[in-house]
Amino acid sequence: IAAGMSVLLLAALFQFSDGAQVVAAGALRGAGDTRSAAFANLAGHWGLGLPIGYWLCFSDGRGLSGLWIGLSLGLAAVAISLVLRWRTLSTVSRLAASDRRSRESGLSKVSSEGR
């Protein structure tokens, strides 16, 4: 019970990153970008979270709390990278739509002048 209580706060904080990661991954999936989420999860969890958690748990002597800290950091990195990717895609999409509207309005002026 004592070990569980020591990670309860960490598990609660974990939920914020988890929620952001799930929403961003779902938004990217809806936009047709599944590779970014796969790569971010691979890099964040296996490349960052697990090694840091292992080190904090065993080498630093923090035990279960260290493992949760590492996994939480990995999840936070995934969430941040996916949100940034979503912002990049939405900015590119808005710019493309604006450019398309500009070209269409330019074409309509040319076609109406030619009459």
Side-chain angles (χ1 to χ4, degrees):
I1 291 178
M5 289 185 67
S6 70
V7 296
L8 194 57
L9 177 62
L10 294 171
L13 294 174
F14 182 89
Q15 297 305 311
F16 289 108
S17 294
D18 191 37
Q21 181 267 145
V22 167
V23 170
L28 287 170
R29 190 177 311 119
D33 183 5
T34 56
R35 291 183 182 202
S36 294
F39 178 73
N41 275 288
L42 180 68
H45 292 298
W46 288 95
L48 185 69
L50 195 59
I52 290 173
Y54 182 88
W55 181 78
L56 288 172
C57 180
F58 297 109
S59 299
D60 198 42
R62 292 180 190 240
L64 185 59
S65 294
L67 183 60
W68 270 88
I69 290 169
L71 295 177
S72 296
L73 289 174
L75 186 61
V78 171
I80 290 167
S81 67
L82 293 180
V83 168
L84 291 175
R85 175 66 177 153
W86 171 252
R87 288 189 64 191
T88 301
L89 281 180
S90 62
T91 300
V92 168
S93 176
R94 280 195 308 266
L95 290 174
S98 174
D99 185 47
R100 187 173 50 251
R101 283 191 300 270
S102 295
R103 282 185 280 138
E104 288 171 356
S105 66
L107 290 175
S108 64
K109 287 179 186 177
V110 171
S111 63
S112 64
E113 290 172 0
R115 288 186 197 176

